[in-house]
Amino acid sequence: MSPRALGLAGVVLASAAVSGCVAALPIAAGTVLTRQAAKGEDRKEPARIAAPNARNPVPAPAASPTPAPGPIAPSTAPPSPKSALAANRAEDFMAAALFAIDGIGSDRSVVPDPAADGDAAPVLPCSGARPALLVDLDPGDVAFQPQAEPPRAQPGLVAALATARAGGLTILWSGILDESRADDVRGALRASGLDPAGRDILLLTRDPAESKTDRRNAELGDVCIKAIVGDRKGDFDALFDYLRDADAPTPFDSLLGAGWFLLPPPLDYPVR
């Protein structure tokens, strides 16, 4: 379902000029035997060849013709690691958007249900709510801080979000920042092209005691979250922040890559 367009071509042609040189020959005269008589036959006088001199110069060897250039072959050099990484990230962001779109129409979310039990991933059901894609803003375990200079969006994320909106999804932005910074956050999203119309929903905390998970769950009556993008497991749910070993197996591991997408933070500021 997802479009794939990837092209890379380069050409390299090297040409070389060919030059020749003539070695000097000795001035002494010489003789060459043109024919040797068979045994018992008379021998003829050897033919004499005049020595080279100013009146009888040695002809210069013919210069080898420069070969005509062949057809230009396409470069076989692989793409740089940086460009390959950007292409992979773009595909991963698009995969998250397409997964969320595919979930429209079902009553299944990707939000953990703390009251459920069993081996299968226990998630909250939802029906009649707007399907949504949630993207966490915070880099690591610190709060996202909007800055004065324009931020850069991760490669492919703008296109993935446009696909998600066109597919009928509401975009949610989650962060630990206080709601008083909402205008700053919207400015960063607009400048980066991630929310050019300023219509996405911001889920910023309303008091110091509220976690991102609390803030998200407070919206579940209005939205049905079909996919979550974050750069750490704690972005998917606060329960991972209470585990001694965040990499320990849990019933939610099946959601990784199938509802929960571990990807870089959406906004990046240039380093000066």
Side-chain angles (χ1 to χ4, degrees):
M1 186 188 306
S2 63
R4 295 288 183 273
L6 186 63
L8 177 65
V11 293
V12 178
L13 179 66
S15 60
V18 178
S19 60
C21 59
V22 179
L25 297 177
I27 305 301
T31 62
V32 61
L33 186 63
T34 59
R35 190 178 70 176
Q36 183 175 1
K39 184 176 180 180
E41 294 183 358
D42 293 335
R43 297 184 179 180
K44 295 185 178 180
E45 286 292 324
R48 297 182 181 273
I49 299 177
N53 52 44
R55 294 184 178 181
N56 188 27
V58 176
S64 300
T66 301
I72 299 175
S75 172
T76 57
S80 67
K82 186 175 181 180
S83 63
L85 178 61
N88 290 339
R89 286 179 178 175
E91 291 185 0
D92 291 339
F93 281 120
M94 186 62 72
L98 295 176
F99 183 93
I101 291 173
D102 287 342
I104 295 177
S106 72
D107 62 352
R108 186 175 185 269
S109 75
V110 294
V111 176
D113 181 1
D117 55 13
D119 295 333
V123 292
L124 292 170
C126 53
S127 59
R130 288 179 294 170
L133 168 66
L134 186 148
V135 183
D136 188 89
L137 284 165
D138 299 332
D141 57 358
V142 299
F144 167 71
Q145 294 292 334
Q147 300 179 19
E149 62 266 32
R152 298 178 300 196
Q154 289 290 347
L157 182 53
V158 171
L161 293 177
T163 298
R165 295 185 188 100
L169 293 170
T170 296
I171 307 301
L172 311 176
W173 296 97
S174 176
I176 199 64
L177 275 182
D178 187 86
E179 277 189 335
S180 63
R181 303 292 303 278
D183 289 343
D184 296 334
V185 173
R186 285 204 180 277
L189 293 174
R190 184 178 296 108
S192 64
L194 292 177
D195 182 19
R199 296 176 182 174
D200 295 343
I201 296 176
L202 300 184
L203 300 182
L204 304 180
T205 57
R206 296 168 291 190
D207 63 71
E210 187 175 46
S211 69
K212 290 190 293 187
T213 296
D214 295 334
R215 183 69 182 91
R216 176 198 68 192
N217 291 351
E219 297 293 318
L220 295 181
D222 296 326
V223 296
C224 182
I225 299 176
K226 300 297 184 180
I228 302 174
V229 175
D231 68 323
R232 54 188 294 270
K233 288 184 177 180
D235 295 336
F236 305 129
D237 199 274
L239 65 89
F240 288 98
D241 294 330
Y242 296 97
L243 298 177
R244 289 186 177 181
D245 182 5
D247 295 325
T250 72
F252 306 105
D253 291 347
S254 62
L255 292 172
L256 292 172
W260 293 357
F261 296 86
L262 276 170
L263 291 167
L267 289 170
D268 177 34
Y269 284 93
V271 177
R272 294 187 177 184

